[in-house]
Amino acid sequence: NRESGSRHVLKPMDSEQLREYGHRMVDFIADYYKTIESFPVLSQVQPGYLHNLLPDSAPDHPETVEQVLDDVKTKILPGVTHWQSPNFFAYYPSNSSVAGFLGEMLSAGVGIVGFSWVTSPAATELEMIVLDWLAKLLNLPEQFLSKGNGGGVIQGSASEAILVVMIAARDKVLRSAGKNALGKLVVYSSDQTHSALQKACQIAGIHPENCRVLKADSSTNYALRPELLQEAVSRDLEAGLIPFFLCGNVGTTSSAAVDPLAVLGKIAKSNEIWFHVDAAYAGSACICPEYRQYIDGVETADSFNMNAHKWFLTNFDCSLLWVKDQHALTEALSTNPEFLKNKASQANLVVDYKDWQIPLGRRFRSLKLWMVLRLYGAKTLKNYIRNHIKLAKVFEQLVSQDPNFEVITPRIFSLVCFRIVPIDNDEKKCNSRNLELLEAVNSSGKLFISHTALSGKIVLRCAIGAPLTEEKHVKETWKVIQEKVSYLLRK
Ligand code: PLP
């Protein structure tokens, strides 16, 4: 009948429908978390699988929430890789949490777009406050706080953070060197730096031949050697080029290597190079006093980023960037069209975050970080990090006790890099055996680890950091790896 049929039709915004279906959606998601271990961690579908399951065009008539949720269960979830599974150890974690989730809901609920202060004063001001809170937890130098020339901003990703500071640095140099000097600008980093830096160079117009990718190896545990930087800078200066940007790392993507920030920063400073520190993953650990040493030297940096959406219980996306000189950012990224003019901005009384980022529009992302900080508190967050590092130690020990395996590079945080040892020094065979093991464990659906290459060696990465991971998951993961390796070595 028409009446009961229309009951299920959603209006664009109806408070009572939101209440009813919102509750149902929360139930659905809570059930998902309750049963998350029953799914294969890495989705096992084949490319194009969804085309065969969904219609070619959007429906003309409304469907019901039940119909859609049924499709989510039967068609979408099989194609989901379960990043929140306690057995997810690939890449780096991407934390979701109850507080983060509630913050996301609230942000979607109020539905504001806070590009300028006036478009939602609370969004700008809360972002400034929580970034100051976190800067203090990290014990960042005062110049990164919002009360002076510095301040923090939430970007969508570390890639955007790196790009905007590179553009700020580029324009600062070009203002004195002249626009035609673009072809002379040189960027420095170790070869362990995330590809986000290369992408930033591509977008910022830095010539590929002016990107100095300096080799890091096992002799420094894959940290950048300052003398290599110094040599490269001197060579470039002699050639009439302009060194302008250095990206240092605290926790590289491959092996969580930490560059010697203080020494690098000194070289950068004496050559007027913008020094950015990428601590996308490991920055979170530095709220613990015993790990703060890994960002010692950050006082020499011009900018610093960490992803709260990695290992800080804040749902994706929430990438935090601090700069010492906000004017460098706004001079490069400001626009001032008539349709956005307003008294507060004109009077220079406020921060307009549209001038600190690439897009105009921006979400109320500080709500979720604020909720994470308030609902868990620094003490819980520190213990959360410590627990994962403890679990990583457990895994590291299991690996080192097994003669078939070796730990590659000393573990600092919650990432363990390991591999099957070579037999008869045959590195090539060893690489393919490790890739085979990776394939075997991941296709079991019981866990998901990823790999990298360090000095030509294929290395397996077990990055611990999902909120639901406990010691039993780590031990069970090791058991699966051992089972698979004994099968492989018998072959
Ligand atoms: N930097 C490091 C050290 C990373 O590990 C990653 C991603 O894992 C990134 C940058 C890129 O992060 P995003 O996806 O936020 O751009």
Side-chain angles (χ1 to χ4, degrees):
N1 90 26
R2 277 184 66 181
E3 227 179 50
S4 69
S6 66
R7 251 205 349 240
H8 297 289
V9 173
L10 286 192
K11 296 177 192 146
M13 183 44 78
D14 175 286
S15 297
E16 291 314 317
Q17 279 187 331
L18 175 65
R19 195 186 311 282
E20 181 187 345
Y21 288 103
H23 284 154
R24 278 207 226 171
M25 185 58 89
V26 169
D27 282 342
F28 183 88
I29 298 166
D31 288 341
Y32 167 67
Y33 275 97
K34 232 175 176 166
T35 56
I36 197 165
E37 287 185 61
S38 64
F39 300 98
V41 187
L42 174 65
S43 169
Q44 306 287 320
V45 299
Q46 295 303 311
Y49 90 100
L50 200 53
H51 278 290
N52 302 327
L53 298 176
L54 294 184
D56 283 339
S57 52
D60 271 334
H61 300 288
E63 297 184 59
T64 64
V65 174
E66 287 76 11
Q67 283 171 312
V68 178
L69 285 183
D70 269 352
D71 275 0
V72 171
K73 269 190 197 152
T74 56
K75 297 169 183 167
I76 301 296
L77 284 183
V80 165
T81 289
H82 301 277
W83 282 67
Q84 305 309 325
S85 160
N87 299 310
F88 184 99
F89 303 107
Y91 316 116
Y92 276 137
S94 185
N95 283 181
S96 177
S97 71
V98 177
F101 178 80
L102 294 178
E104 272 288 355
M105 261 172 97
L106 190 55
S107 166
V110 294
I112 62 106
V113 183
F115 46 79
S116 302
W117 177 87
V118 72
T119 62
S120 256
T124 299
E125 295 194 13
L126 186 63
E127 188 159 328
M128 293 167 75
I129 291 166
V130 290
L131 274 270
D132 279 351
W133 282 9
L134 206 53
K136 287 178 192 166
L137 276 179
L138 287 164
N139 204 7
L140 292 183
E142 289 244 316
Q143 295 119 294
F144 285 113
L145 299 180
S146 64
K147 63 179 181 215
N149 277 336
V153 56
I154 302 179
Q155 304 277 335
S157 63
S159 305
E160 288 161 79
I162 295 169
L163 175 61
V164 295
V165 293
M166 180 179 288
I167 285 172
R170 178 196 69 185
D171 287 6
K172 199 172 165 185
V173 174
L174 293 184
R175 271 193 294 278
S176 54
K179 285 199 170 51
N180 293 338
L182 181 62
K184 291 185 178 174
L185 302 189
V186 189
V187 171
Y188 304 84
S189 71
S190 86
D191 61 358
Q192 300 300 305
T193 303
H194 193 274
S195 53
L197 181 72
Q198 186 198 332
K199 191 177 269 193
C201 290
Q202 286 167 207
I203 299 173
I206 307 307
H207 291 203
E209 62 272 24
N210 287 355
C211 297
R212 305 284 171 262
V213 181
L214 307 167
K215 215 169 165 46
D217 60 27
S218 59
S219 67
T220 58
N221 297 327
Y222 296 93
L224 175 56
R225 279 172 39 213
E227 56 277 23
L228 284 190
L229 173 69
Q230 184 61 67
E231 282 162 25
V233 169
S234 303
R235 252 197 323 270
D236 288 328
L237 285 171
E238 259 168 54
L241 298 173
I242 307 173
F244 93 106
F245 192 87
L246 164 67
C247 183
N249 297 292
V250 175
T252 57
T253 310
S254 280
S255 67
V258 178
D259 290 336
L261 302 188
V263 199
L264 297 178
K266 214 167 151 194
I267 298 171
K269 207 168 205 82
S270 58
N271 291 282
E272 292 177 53
I273 296 172
W274 183 294
F275 183 29
H276 177 73
V277 174
D278 177 12
Y281 150 73
S284 301
C286 301
I287 65 161
C288 302
E290 67 273 30
Y291 293 103
R292 171 59 177 76
Q293 55 177 304
Y294 294 106
I295 54 168
D296 281 358
V298 70
E299 61 279 2
T300 63
D302 295 282
S303 49
F304 174 84
N305 76 277
M306 88 161 228
N307 281 357
H309 65 234
K310 275 189 161 56
W311 193 18
F312 206 70
L313 288 174
T314 311
N315 294 37
F316 193 87
D317 52 350
C318 192
S319 179
L320 315 180
L321 169 69
W322 288 270
V323 291
K324 277 185 182 166
D325 176 12
Q326 54 168 280
H327 302 295
L329 268 186
T330 54
E331 277 170 36
L333 298 170
S334 284
T335 54
N336 191 23
E338 185 58 37
F339 52 82
L340 296 182
K341 284 186 181 156
N342 64 85
K343 272 192 207 148
S345 302
Q346 304 292 93
N348 241 336
L349 292 172
V350 292
V351 160
D352 287 331
Y353 274 130
K354 73 179 175 55
D355 299 332
W356 296 47
Q357 63 173 19
I358 300 160
L360 173 72
R362 62 199 323 271
R363 308 197 300 129
F364 201 161
R365 281 185 291 223
S366 55
L367 275 177
K368 60 186 166 186
L369 183 56
W370 186 53
M371 290 187 70
V372 164
L373 289 167
R374 289 189 64 182
L375 296 176
Y376 298 128
K379 214 165 158 183
T380 306
L381 288 161
K382 287 174 192 170
N383 287 334
Y384 173 73
I385 296 280
R386 286 176 181 133
N387 183 50
H388 283 145
I389 296 178
K390 194 182 89 199
L391 296 182
K393 281 182 192 159
V394 169
F395 187 81
E396 181 188 31
Q397 229 159 33
L398 291 168
V399 175
S400 44
Q401 282 161 5
D402 186 326
N404 287 324
F405 286 90
E406 62 180 343
V407 174
I408 303 275
T409 82
R411 180 205 49 76
I412 305 176
F413 305 106
S414 67
L415 170 70
V416 181
C417 291
F418 66 105
R419 67 166 186 167
I420 310 174
V421 289
I423 299 167
D424 301 329
N425 276 331
D426 189 340
E427 284 289 340
K428 212 168 146 196
K429 198 157 176 195
C430 178
N431 279 351
S432 49
R433 195 171 278 137
N434 276 289
L435 288 174
E436 265 181 83
L437 174 62
L438 181 74
E439 175 67 26
V441 293
N442 288 344
S443 60
S444 77
K446 291 181 179 159
L447 60 115
F448 183 24
I449 57 173
S450 59
H451 79 287
T452 189
L454 289 170
S455 307
K457 294 175 186 167
I458 293 294
V459 172
L460 307 179
R461 297 170 71 267
C462 178
I464 292 167
L468 289 169
T469 304
E470 297 171 28
E471 188 164 325
K472 65 177 183 196
H473 301 107
V474 171
K475 287 189 163 158
E476 184 55 32
T477 283
W478 180 243
K479 230 166 91 189
V480 174
I481 293 172
Q482 279 190 315
E483 276 164 27
K484 298 290 175 192
V485 89
S486 61
Y487 175 76
L488 264 181
L489 294 177
R490 259 188 275 123
K491 269 210 305 191

